[in-house]
Amino acid sequence: MNWRGYILPVLLLLSLTACRGNNEPSHSGNLSQEGSNAEPAAYGKYVDPVVMRIRFKVPDSRLNTGDSNDNNPITRYLESITNIKVVHSWEAKGEETFTQKVQLAIDSNDLPDAMVVDRDQLKKLIDNDMIEELTETYKNYGSELIKEMYDSTKGEALNDATRDGKLYGLPNVAINADSPSLLWVRQDWLEKLELQAPKTFDDIEAIAQAFVNKDPDGNGKRDTIGLSGYRNIVYGTKPHVNGLDTIFSAYHAFPTNWIKDSSGKVVYGSITPETKQALAKLADWYKRGLIDPEFALYKETQEPIIAGKTGMFFGPWWMPYYPLSEAVALDTKAEWRAYAAPLDASGNFVAHMAPVTDRYLVVRKGYKHPEAVVKLLNAFTRLERRQDPNQEEVKKLDDFSAQTGIQPRAYYPFDLLLDYSDAIEKHYSDIQQTLHNKIDPDTLDPDTRLIYDQWMADSEQPKKNLEGWKAANAYKYGVAVLTSTAIEGVRSVFYGNTQLMQSKWPALQKLESETFLNIIVGDAPLSEFDAFVAKWRSLGGDKITQEVTVLVDRK
């Protein structure tokens, strides 16, 4: 099972991620104000139809209702409230195939009217004057809702899509809470073996030893795992299941990120002495059997967690949505808790933070209705955040979703959902105040009210309703740790590619991942790290570092 394909629909069911976005027309003169008295420019419906050609990424979900990707309840609803007819110029299934086709469209200058691109593609489009400047369009047609979401980044998101004071794209917004990776522990095993909650490296080591050697599941076999792992070692940006980023961060090592050293020089985090220290610790743990001896062999990294064999693993706050929901469904006795561990030598919890944004909705140069892109973004963002006032029509979409299992977001025209950067912390704070009778549940915003209701359902009947269990445990334990922990966040000083990276980076990344894995599993000595650094530098790393330094200094 592909867990990435699973977690996004499930997690987004609560509208808790911010990975997508949309577009709208910019200069119109034919907008009606029907149903949009508060914000006529943002939500006004065109009197005459406006056509918008897009490239569409086909979702995993399948329409079995006689509908098509460009003609279904979601697309028909969005068209009905905007009078924007979205036409699929072409479709592609799978992230890699879609990305390749988008790149081909850019290289051949055959752009759709609007599309979502990455940071490097945005740069190329701006450099070659291929996309519309959107400063006034966004100012005039952006809804208050999306403006508030962008404002939650303190201007960073929009600034990332701006050059020379001009806005060229509508960015996504990273959820702050998605960056830190926490240590998830089988609490029932911890209590059975009378172990203390983990804080330090030594604590984790002691717990892992006990989980491996003391039969915590009580089946009389030595078949339990101390700490799970991910064969690629780190994720580098937003974490998911089993990455070991937190171990590195505790040593103030930030592999795959560009950071500044103590002297202020830009360095690649994978080649620092601190990274070598972290690898030494992991190699020692693996040699002693504290890390899953088969972690590099799994087809899907979450397999031992779901099977109930793992006692500890690293992952973000939303792990109860997946894979823990699957694990608990198979073993209802399992209890999982999150901890901010390990701490660094000074007792601080350190985490690398994801970029504020990394995807951008752009409009083809010459498209007559750039404001239509913004208006569509307004429309489906309002729908996604459950603030659409058209309750009867929204209920029909909810019914369609319940009957088919298809979430509306799968058929939005653009893969760019927006939320507040501090959305998760806001939800948790409001729920806590509601639980303490300081806020009336009926006054909660729709997103928060849904989580609150699921929390209450699980409190009344623990583990009876898995949807309630997911939300309750993600917030009670994952988000609770984030909001009560002073996190020392470190963000990369550079994202994207340099000129030399385009030819050299794949080989350097392969060298890095193979070296790290070989050192940890004992196929190479720790001294191999020094050889890796020398080779990395000679194969283009030093020149790439010079390129990155120049770009960082220009900021």
Side-chain angles (χ1 to χ4, degrees), residues 244-450:
L244 298 169
D245 303 60
T246 312
I247 297 292
F248 287 88
S249 294
Y251 280 101
H252 292 232
F254 305 98
T256 76
N257 286 263
W258 293 91
I259 60 174
K260 288 190 176 181
D261 63 15
S262 57
S263 66
K265 291 176 57 179
V266 173
V267 296
Y268 184 54
S270 299
I271 67 170
T272 64
E274 291 83 1
T275 294
K276 183 178 181 180
Q277 285 182 282
L279 288 171
K281 174 64 75 175
L282 291 168
D284 175 61
W285 281 2
Y286 183 86
K287 182 178 180 180
R288 294 160 59 194
L290 307 183
I291 296 177
D292 183 0
E294 298 183 350
F295 83 89
L297 305 178
Y298 293 111
K299 184 177 180 181
E300 299 290 350
T301 187
Q302 76 281 353
E303 288 179 29
I305 299 171
I306 294 175
K309 297 300 181 184
T310 296
M312 290 185 291
F313 72 96
F314 289 101
W317 66 272
W318 47 261
M319 290 293 91
Y321 289 98
Y322 186 80
L324 293 183
S325 57
E326 298 283 304
V328 170
L330 294 173
D331 180 6
T332 57
K333 299 187 301 296
E335 292 287 344
W336 288 90
R337 300 291 183 271
Y339 296 93
L343 304 178
D344 70 2
S346 301
N348 300 318
F349 185 67
V350 184
H352 67 67
M353 305 300 288
V356 173
T357 182
D358 59 6
R359 284 142 51 89
Y360 315 84
L361 179 59
V362 299
V363 180
R364 175 180 59 83
K365 187 82 170 182
Y367 180 53
K368 292 182 179 179
H369 293 286
E371 81 284 352
V373 177
V374 182
K375 292 176 73 65
L376 271 178
L377 179 61
N378 295 337
F380 70 69
T381 300
R382 182 177 68 173
L383 176 64
E384 185 65 24
R385 299 273 71 83
R386 304 198 70 80
Q387 296 187 27
D388 192 312
N390 304 308
Q391 295 183 14
E392 184 175 339
E393 294 302 317
V394 171
K395 185 180 184 305
K396 291 179 183 178
L397 294 181
D398 287 342
D399 291 343
F400 170 79
S401 181
Q403 292 164 9
T404 62
I406 295 172
Q407 295 303 311
R409 70 187 61 85
Y411 292 95
Y412 294 161
F414 305 107
D415 184 14
L416 194 81
L417 291 179
L418 298 181
D419 207 339
Y420 297 92
S421 62
D422 58 348
I424 307 307
E425 296 89 343
K426 282 177 176 285
H427 293 322
Y428 181 78
S429 175
D430 288 348
I431 289 170
Q432 286 298 305
Q433 292 190 67
T434 304
L435 292 172
H436 290 86
N437 299 315
K438 294 181 179 179
I439 291 180
D440 183 339
D442 291 337
T443 65
L444 295 172
D445 68 80
D447 281 353
T448 308
R449 180 58 189 260
L450 178 59

Side-chain angles (χ1 to χ4, degrees), residues 32 145 546:
S32 76
L145 178 61
Q546 292 172 6

Side-chain angles (χ1 to χ4, degrees), residues 203-246:
D203 294 337
I204 296 173
E205 188 173 311
I207 293 169
Q209 284 181 324
F211 283 177
V212 170
N213 298 319
K214 295 188 177 180
D215 190 26
D217 61 356
N219 69 352
K221 300 177 182 178
R222 194 175 184 274
D223 61 352
T224 45
I225 296 164
L227 178 68
S228 292
Y230 170 52
R231 72 180 320 276
N232 290 338
I233 314 303
V234 298
Y235 286 96
T237 51
K238 290 183 181 179
H240 291 283
V241 180
N242 276 333
L244 298 169
D245 303 60
T246 312

